[in-house]
Amino acid sequence: MTTYVEAAAKKKRMPGVIPLHGEEGFAGMRKAGALTAEVLDLIVPMVEPGVPTAKLDRFVYEFARDNGAAPATLNYRGYRYSTCTSINHVVCHGMPGEKPLREGDIVNIDVTLIVDGWHGDSSRMYPVGEISRKAERLIEITYESLRLGIEAAKPGNTTGDIGAAIQRYAEGERASVVRDFVGHGLGRLFHDEPNIMHFGNPGTGVELKPGMIFTIEPMINLGRPQVKILNDGWTAVTRDRTLSAQCEHSIGITETGNEIFTLSPRGLFNPLEARNDP
């Protein structure tokens, strides 16, 4: 059974209890989302062959520190980094390191910054130099999947409508949707109710109501949807070693639709699309 409560009355995650935020929550999320989007914009020219992802991670940490924010992933359940950097067949939770990026790689960079207690969570796909057409196509499918998921996120619809829109499109493009990881509620909590699955049936799941805040973050594979976790306990990879991509926005449900909190201020949310513009 699902229960909706005022966000101020909820201090921890409780199954089936969904917080509804007022203007204070939306204002906090705008500020956190804007700072997260800004640092992801600043990373765009830094993603080049020969650059280690550890350098990008240090940049995010220093940017957060200099702007009165904190990376939510740093020391979260033992995780030691300010970002997740997931390269090629890594689905999510890839750890930054000193190994340099190579020409033709694709990398998802996932950042959550805490600003005044609010969590702004977003990720993007970055091409490294010239990439293959199949990698380009995967990125295009992933971004369109996110767009369609956000389009379905409006009052009166359900979480199943979001998942169905994503699954219908991605599978129609002969790609697959990862089942093992989902979007999630957030706000003052990093992970809250409800879970947002990126697959499902229309009309099922939780009804969307104004005041709900959550992420949509489809992970799309060129091959099969199955993943496995490496021995580090974090890194998730495709079982068949095919390419994977992800992109993510934090949004809030409004009376008439939704508000995206993590829009790119420079129009760089899809760095590949921005690079290919004339």
Side-chain angles (χ1 to χ4, degrees):
M1 181 178 176
T2 300
T3 303
Y4 300 86
V5 300
E6 290 188 12
K10 190 178 180 190
K11 304 301 181 183
K12 63 180 181 179
R13 184 169 188 168
M14 295 177 283
V17 180
I18 298 175
L20 298 180
H21 298 266
E23 180 52 37
E24 178 189 2
F26 274 61
M29 289 299 296
R30 288 183 196 112
K31 190 173 179 180
L35 199 67
T36 298
E38 182 180 351
V39 74
L40 289 170
D41 277 3
L42 293 174
I43 288 173
V44 172
M46 299 173 64
V47 178
E48 296 180 326
V51 174
T53 51
K55 178 179 179 180
L56 306 176
D57 189 70
R58 288 191 293 270
F59 178 80
V60 170
Y61 172 77
E62 292 167 0
F63 175 89
R65 178 197 62 196
D66 294 346
N67 285 275
T73 57
L74 185 60
N75 300 317
Y76 178 78
R77 296 183 178 177
Y79 191 79
R80 306 190 309 275
Y81 306 97
S82 300
T83 63
C84 294
T85 53
S86 302
I87 303 169
N88 295 335
H89 71 290
V90 178
V91 176
C92 62
H93 303 158
M95 294 184 177
E98 296 298 337
K99 183 179 179 180
L101 293 167
R102 299 181 299 178
E103 183 87 13
D105 284 342
I106 59 173
V107 55
N108 175 271
I109 301 178
D110 191 341
V111 174
T112 304
L113 295 186
I114 308 171
V115 181
D116 298 332
W118 297 93
H119 293 72
D121 191 356
S122 185
S123 79
R124 306 179 188 177
M125 292 303 301
Y126 296 77
V128 183
E130 294 300 317
I131 64 174
S132 68
R133 177 55 194 145
K134 70 177 182 179
E136 283 190 353
R137 177 173 168 270
L138 174 62
I139 291 173
E140 290 165 356
I141 293 169
T142 305
Y143 274 85
E144 181 63 8
S145 295
L146 176 62
R147 188 192 70 79
L148 291 169
I150 292 173
E151 187 177 83
K154 55 188 176 183
N157 276 4
T158 67
T159 53
D161 291 318
I162 296 173
I166 292 169
Q167 182 181 9
R168 182 168 54 246
Y169 172 75
E171 293 182 353
E173 294 294 319
R174 301 186 303 281
S176 64
V177 181
V178 170
R179 267 66 165 171
D180 299 69
F181 301 97
V182 298
H184 53 88
L186 82 167
R188 289 196 174 276
L189 297 179
F190 189 3
H191 295 100
D192 203 348
E193 297 289 295
N195 286 333
I196 306 296
M197 294 185 292
H198 306 114
F199 59 95
N201 297 313
T204 63
V206 173
E207 181 182 354
L208 303 178
K209 295 191 175 187
M212 292 173 65
I213 293 176
F214 51 81
T215 68
I216 304 177
E217 46 185 298
M219 299 165 215
I220 308 297
N221 297 346
L222 274 183
R224 297 180 182 276
Q226 287 80 14
V227 308
K228 66 178 180 179
I229 309 298
L230 299 186
N231 290 337
D232 60 27
W234 287 100
T235 308
V237 301
T238 56
R239 283 193 172 272
D240 58 10
R241 305 283 292 186
T242 55
L243 292 176
S244 185
Q246 178 192 16
C247 52
E248 173 185 14
H249 270 315
S250 298
I251 73 167
I253 301 299
T254 66
E255 295 291 341
T256 57
N258 64 66
E259 178 178 349
I260 301 173
F261 300 120
T262 45
L263 288 172
S264 164
R266 304 185 188 187
L268 300 176
F269 180 62
N270 185 346
L272 175 63
E273 184 179 81
R275 185 174 71 178
N276 290 342
D277 282 345

